Structures are given as structure tokens and as C-alpha cells.
Amino acid sequence: EIMLPLILYMDKTGTDALQRYSLEPVLFTTAAIPREAREKDGSWRHLGFIPPLAKSDQNNDTYDQKQLQLYHDFLAVLLEDLISAQKNPPIVTIERDGIKMELIARLPVMIVMGDQKSQDTLCGRKHANSGGAGRVHRSCMCSYITVDDAAHQCVDVCSQTIKSLVESALTSPDEFIKIANEYSSNSGNTTENKIIENYLRRQQQMNAQILQY
């Protein structure tokens, strides 16, 4: 077998002089070749292109989840062949010391590179290109205000807290009804059930907004 780690690169680019129409190419190369070779244009290949989405202001409180999901749907289609190749590794022919041999190629994704906007979109994080992001990195609570303070103590983000927020944000309306029936003092009390359901929905909206940052 031979390990061929893949490097993906994503960055939206304009297709006309006025930058009115854009495409986001998804490029890849392998980390198995020397750095000098990777820095050449010919070492990169196009996995595909993500078309421009409908214009929506993702910098305000009305975060467009549908457009975000559509972006990931496009990306899922582009990655189908790669996933297939990972499940069914191809046979590649390489030459070592003048001897040709056929090896099974393992194709793990080593890193995904891109600018801030593309990385935020990949992670479902709220866009904050103009500054003011709640956190400058997803693994700690350091804000942009303290990022240049060498004496600032970083506080790690608790993975269990993130998991709880995600579970709340993904709770379906049917689950809200079920939870309301469980915690209602009187299962037949429609008013009390509605109060519990409304509380859970407000909590869900708040948790979803927290996850955007």
C-alpha cells in the first residue's frame, strides 16, 4: 500500500472583469510530493466548482441556514468520487529504483485550506470578515479584542457544551411536543404544553445563534 494524503483548497474567485459572477473551485493535490512541486500550478487538479448562491446578508442576525445547507449539498456531490475512492482504494503504478510496482492507494484528506469566508462556511460559522467575531478560533474563547495580548490566558471551548448546543439546535418540532408532554404537570393541559414548547423554541434559537460564532 501507499499513503497519498490529499490537500484541498477552496477560495471563491471572480469570472469576469467586474467580479459580478463568481465560482468557488475545489482544488486538490497530494502531500506525498515535495513542497516545491506542490507550489506549481500543474500539481493541482480541479475536483469541481461550487456555483454562486443567491445573495443573502449572512452578517446580520438572520443567518441563512438554507443557503448554508445548499452549499454543503453542492460540496457533497463534488466529494462523492473521492469518498468512493476512499472506500474502494484504487491501484496505482509507481516506480522505485527503476522497478515498477502496483500498490493500493490510501487517500485520506490531510487538510482543507481556504480563506476565512470559505472556512467559516465549511464550519457553519457566522461570517465576520469585517471584524467583531465573537471568537477568533473555534477551539478557544479568545476574542478579536484580546488576540494581540500576549499575556491573555486562553480558555478552551468545552466540547460537551458544543455538543449540547448542537443537539438543542437540531431538535425537531415533534421532539418539542414530546418533551412538553413529559414535563407538563397535566398531560391534557394544552396551555402549559404550549408554554413549554415556546420556551424550548426560544432556547433553540438562542443556541443556534451561539453556534454561529
Side-chain angles (χ1 to χ4, degrees), residues 147-175:
V147 72
D148 60 346
D149 182 2
H152 181 73
Q153 295 294 320
C154 180
V155 178
D156 292 338
V157 174
C158 176
S159 59
Q160 187 57 45
T161 300
I162 296 296
K163 183 179 179 180
S164 298
L165 291 173
V166 171
E167 289 177 351
S168 172
L170 296 178
T171 303
S172 67
D174 291 337
E175 282 294 320

Side-chain angles (χ1 to χ4, degrees), residues 44-149:
W44 292 82
R45 295 291 184 271
H46 287 90
L47 194 62
F49 295 88
I50 298 177
L53 306 178
K55 292 183 179 180
S56 60
D57 184 10
Q58 295 188 359
N59 290 320
N60 59 27
D61 294 334
T62 58
Y63 190 65
D64 198 338
Q65 295 182 355
K66 290 183 179 179
Q67 295 300 327
L68 179 64
Q69 183 60 55
L70 185 60
Y71 179 93
H72 282 267
D73 290 341
F74 288 146
L75 188 59
V77 173
L78 297 183
L79 294 175
E80 282 181 352
D81 290 341
L82 173 58
I83 294 172
S84 177
Q86 290 175 330
K87 294 180 178 178
N88 304 287
I91 304 296
V92 297
T93 301
I94 67 169
E95 184 174 337
R96 288 179 179 172
D97 301 324
I99 301 175
K100 290 185 178 181
M101 58 184 71
E102 292 186 342
L103 299 174
I104 298 174
R106 300 295 179 181
L107 305 170
V109 175
M110 187 179 79
I111 188 171
V112 180
M113 300 189 302
D115 63 357
Q116 177 185 335
K117 187 174 182 179
S118 64
Q119 298 292 290
D120 285 343
T121 306
L122 281 175
C123 297
R125 191 166 182 256
K126 192 176 185 68
H127 295 167
N129 294 359
S130 59
R135 292 183 287 123
V136 295
H137 195 274
R138 295 166 185 85
S139 66
C140 76
M141 297 299 294
C142 182
S143 73
Y144 81 102
I145 298 175
T146 57
V147 72
D148 60 346
D149 182 2

Side-chain angles (χ1 to χ4, degrees), residues 4-15:
L4 298 176
L6 299 180
I7 300 174
L8 302 185
Y9 178 76
M10 306 168 64
D11 188 9
K12 186 178 293 185
T13 183
T15 58

